[in-house]
Amino acid sequence: MKLLRGEITKLLFQKRTYVGWVGLLAIPILIVVALDLSSPSSRGGDGGPGGFFILASHNGLLVPLAAIGALTTFLLPLLAAMAGSFQLAGEAETGTIKTWLVHPVSRGGVLVSKWLVAVLYLLAGLALVAASGYLVGVAVFGAHAPALLSGGTVSVAHGLWLTLLAYLFVAAGMVCVLSLAMLFSTLTSSSLTAAIGTLVIFIVMQVLGSFSYFDFLKPYLFTSHLDAWQNLFQGTIDWGPLEKGLLAFFAYIVVSTVAAWYVFRRKDVLV
Amino acid sequence: MTTMPDRLSDGGAAARAAEEHPVVLATHGLTKSFNGVVAVDHLDLAVQRGDVFGFLGPNGAGKTTTIRMILGLIYPTSGHVEVLDHRVPQDKREALRHIGGFVEVPAFYGNMSARRNLRLMGRLNDVKDEKRIEEVLDTVGLLERADSKVGDYSHGMKQRLGIANALLHRPELIILDEPTSGLDPQGMKDVRELIRALGTGGTTVFLSSHLLHEIEQVCNRAMIINKGRVVVEGPVADLRPASSAVKVLTSDQERARGVIAALVGPQAVASDEGYLVVEGSDGAVREIVRRLVAEGLGVDAVIPAREQGLEDYFLGLTQSSDVGTHPEVAREKGGAQ
């Protein structure tokens, strides 16, 4: 707890923390503005996040879903990669990690507290996306019983519940990115190297997932599960893809975090 | 020096603790090699309670590597460190409760004020007392700048903040890695006085430095290391052989040389810039002057010869330390390559 509190203090004193949050706040607003200004006929696309863009233009309550659909492609993974890499490698760059470690703390405790604070940062960011999406979306498009991708509607309360589940699912996917970044952050003392390494892996996975030749890999790439939350908005929910996605996320999170702990536990801190 | 009364006030407990743990810090066969290059080589040292222990060596001698191992930042290749009853690295967390200090340039969070940094670090040692934070900031002379961002601090100010952080939880052992580097002369003087005061107050200080005169000013015991090995160790007063040479100037140096040589032997007399330098003249000075006067020579001056340059002496020690390699060490070095 002492460690976590310390990490939160450190996080809140970093300017880049707020830069990321401002970006996340801005995206839903941009989406609403763009949807409101564009003519109804040009709102193309069907299914996927595109489907939510169409639905969101009639219902402010769906703006947060359109927003995370758009954010999971780049901004969220970027912020997750940064949140993970700045934790250890960033402190190695400034030398503060040695000051922190010469206090009576365990390496494992330091690692866990840093992982937790990065997760909290992401969750806070997602909460900001939802909040700004609801606020601006409802103000511009009004609040109606949410329509589903398959047609039909559900009650507002049920819609909010499904949105929360979708957000938690995306959060789990982003914790994968963050845990990978944390692992790289124990291997290098440059936070940029760790963040870029993580993003390279993320993008390579996305590329692999987009070719049917590599379909046999798809279940093992966490990136190909990131859109599985859309199954929540079908008439009858198909939980299969969601379960597979969570299982893949869990595997990536556990393996990266355990590997990070193994490296950091005996690492020579030479900064 | 606001730190002194804290330790003195609890004299009874300190005395009991001193009996239980006369040795506060010890290393046993401490060795560290990086990719086969030996940085610290079977280092054994013992620091007693209340010592201000000087850890001296040229740059690259292995001082900082040793300190990193003591603080648990890097792991020994072999051997271990003992702080009170706690082994490092195994028992690092317990050991670090009793230690305050820093290695190389102390690093702090640049976006925060000094006060906020100390609050943050203090919490890791359960120090929540704002007054204590004020106290240590005052001790190192940073109280006026306590609320400026550390990012705007000069090198010397960061150095002082590092010392403040080391003192914060009143540890029994303070480890300072070249704490006066980057300070102006007044700052150096302040820090040395502070270290002396800590020693007087009963705190054990482990001070690394490459400045021999600094060690002589503040330490009671010292060790000189070079290339990761101990060159010499002992009370500071014994580290440097005392020079008893005198310089003599008379009205006739040629005749005087003959007179003195007859007394102390010809090999003990040399000339230097017009003076006669008499080695090993312990107790013989009165006799020499009496004889010179008796021989009718005018004695213009008898002055102590310039002591051997401290830095020369230090250089001599650290350069000749290649000889006398322990056979075991030689074997290990060979094996590592």
Side-chain angles (χ1 to χ4, degrees):
Chain A
M1 258 346 255
K2 268 190 286 190
L3 280 171
L4 186 59
R5 202 173 150 186
E7 294 296 342
I8 292 173
T9 310
K10 289 192 243 172
L11 181 75
L12 295 179
F13 269 86
Q14 298 275 359
K15 279 195 201 89
R16 55 177 171 249
T17 303
Y18 301 99
V19 173
W21 280 343
V22 166
L24 291 176
L25 267 177
I27 293 291
I29 299 172
L30 290 175
I31 289 173
V32 168
V33 169
L35 285 176
D36 195 40
L37 294 181
S38 61
S39 61
S41 59
S42 67
R43 292 169 195 165
D46 56 331
F52 279 104
F53 278 102
I54 298 170
L55 295 174
S57 62
H58 303 294
N59 188 350
L61 291 179
L62 293 175
V63 169
L65 292 168
I68 46 164
L71 284 169
T72 44
T73 54
F74 195 69
L75 186 58
L76 269 181
L78 174 73
L79 291 178
M82 293 198 347
S85 15
F86 283 125
Q87 290 302 324
L88 285 166
E91 286 216 36
E93 276 166 357
T94 54
T96 46
I97 190 69
K98 75 182 175 193
T99 312
W100 197 243
L101 287 176
V102 301
H103 291 86
V105 296
S106 73
R107 294 262 179 117
V110 169
L111 190 78
V112 168
S113 64
K114 285 183 169 298
W115 185 85
L116 277 175
V117 80
V119 171
L120 286 177
Y121 172 72
L122 268 185
L123 290 179
L126 282 170
L128 286 175
V129 174
S132 105
Y134 278 127
L135 213 70
V136 184
V138 171
V140 176
F141 302 124
H144 316 286
L148 297 172
L149 289 169
S150 56
T153 55
V154 291
S155 71
V156 169
H158 193 60
L160 290 177
W161 166 244
L162 290 178
T163 306
L164 177 67
L165 289 182
Y167 265 67
L168 289 176
F169 184 84
V170 168
M174 290 305 117
V175 174
C176 276
V177 180
L178 180 159
S179 304
L180 270 175
M182 201 90 186
L183 169 61
F184 288 138
S185 177
T186 61
L187 295 170
T188 167
S189 46
S190 151
S191 60
L192 216 50
T193 309
I196 290 170
T198 311
L199 286 178
V200 164
I201 287 196
F202 183 81
I203 289 163
V204 165
M205 280 190 183
Q206 273 185 329
V207 170
L208 286 176
S210 65
F211 289 102
S212 54
Y213 179 75
F214 295 111
D215 271 355
F216 64 97
L217 282 177
K218 263 193 164 175
Y220 309 108
L221 306 173
F222 71 85
T223 49
S224 46
H225 300 285
L226 282 175
D227 287 335
W229 57 269
Q230 285 164 18
N231 285 289
L232 292 166
F233 296 89
Q234 304 295 343
T236 47
I237 298 172
D238 178 7
W239 292 99
L242 289 159
E243 282 166 11
K244 278 185 202 148
L246 283 178
L247 198 68
F249 295 162
F250 185 70
Y252 272 91
I253 292 168
V254 169
V255 170
S256 325
T257 310
V258 168
W261 172 77
Y262 183 79
V263 175
F264 187 57
R265 190 181 54 108
R266 295 286 296 186
K267 189 184 169 137
D268 280 350
V269 176
L270 286 168
V271 291
Chain B
M1 296 301 146
T2 43
T3 47
M4 283 202 308
D6 314 330
R7 293 228 137 270
L8 291 176
S9 60
D10 195 20
R16 271 198 306 283
E19 278 167 30
E20 284 166 32
H21 302 290
V23 175
V24 175
L25 167 68
T27 70
H28 303 282
L30 197 64
T31 302
K32 178 70 183 179
S33 50
F34 296 102
N35 303 318
V37 179
V38 182
V40 174
D41 202 347
H42 293 86
L43 189 76
D44 293 305
L45 62 81
V47 180
Q48 312 269 332
R49 184 173 296 274
D51 271 350
V52 178
F53 190 92
F55 194 50
L56 192 65
N59 293 329
K63 302 189 297 286
T64 294
T65 304
T66 305
I67 293 181
R68 281 179 196 278
M69 284 192 276
I70 295 171
L71 293 173
L73 288 172
I74 64 177
Y75 290 79
T77 309
S78 65
H80 70 271
V81 176
E82 236 174 279
V83 178
L84 300 170
D85 273 343
H86 311 291
R87 270 195 178 210
V88 180
Q90 293 87 343
D91 244 354
K92 190 179 66 174
R93 236 176 121 183
E94 275 309 306
L96 285 170
R97 284 186 204 287
H98 305 284
I99 306 179
F102 57 80
V103 61
E104 288 187 324
V105 184
F108 291 94
Y109 298 95
N111 291 328
M112 301 182 198
S113 66
R115 195 192 300 275
R116 170 83 55 182
N117 264 287
L118 290 183
R119 220 177 273 161
L120 185 67
M121 305 290 179
R123 231 173 246 136
L124 297 179
N125 273 312
D126 299 310
V127 177
K128 290 176 184 142
D129 185 5
E130 288 291 318
K131 260 176 59 196
R132 178 64 189 160
I133 291 173
E134 298 258 312
E135 227 169 72
V136 292
L137 283 168
D138 190 27
T139 304
V140 299
L142 279 180
L143 201 49
E144 278 173 31
R145 296 291 306 274
D147 296 307
S148 322
K149 279 188 180 182
V150 174
D152 300 333
Y153 270 25
S154 69
H155 181 90
M157 290 165 78
K158 284 181 190 159
Q159 207 80 333
R160 288 159 182 262
L161 184 55
I163 296 171
N165 183 46
L167 299 174
L168 192 56
H169 59 296
R170 303 184 173 104
E172 285 160 86
L173 173 62
I174 291 190
I175 295 180
L176 302 171
D177 190 10
E178 308 201 349
T180 56
S181 79
L183 296 182
D184 57 27
Q186 182 60 43
M188 286 189 181
K189 192 165 161 277
D190 292 347
V191 167
R192 287 174 190 156
E193 268 167 21
L194 172 65
I195 294 170
R196 262 200 299 263
L198 285 170
T200 316
T203 305
T204 312
V205 183
F206 185 83
L207 170 71
S208 118
S209 175
H210 61 269
L211 305 171
L212 183 58
H213 63 91
E214 179 167 284
I215 297 286
E216 284 194 311
Q217 277 177 39
V218 299
C219 298
N220 64 323
R221 289 171 54 77
M223 168 182 276
I224 299 180
I225 69 162
N226 191 33
K227 294 176 182 158
R229 271 176 278 152
V230 182
V231 178
V232 59
E233 193 211 342
V236 164
D238 298 352
L239 277 187
R240 188 156 46 100
S243 168
S244 56
V246 290
K247 285 163 135 187
V248 181
L249 186 63
T250 62
S251 52
D252 185 343
Q253 293 291 75
E254 269 314 302
R255 272 182 60 209
R257 178 188 273 269
V259 172
I260 298 170
L263 273 173
V264 297
Q267 71 282 357
V269 192
S271 13
D272 177 30
E273 293 169 4
Y275 286 92
L276 293 171
V277 181
V278 186
E279 292 290 345
S281 53
D282 269 334
V285 176
R286 284 179 191 173
E287 187 55 27
I288 289 171
V289 173
R290 205 172 289 137
R291 290 293 291 274
L292 288 172
V293 173
E295 294 288 331
L297 289 157
V299 177
D300 293 316
V302 179
I303 50 178
R306 184 175 56 87
E307 292 190 58
Q308 185 184 15
L310 297 181
E311 306 310 325
D312 292 345
Y313 169 72
F314 183 40
L315 274 176
L317 274 181
T318 51
Q319 278 166 1
S320 62
S321 70
D322 274 339
V323 296
T325 301
H326 196 277
E328 219 174 12
V329 172
R331 204 168 341 113
E332 176 150 308
K333 275 195 142 178
Q337 279 155 13

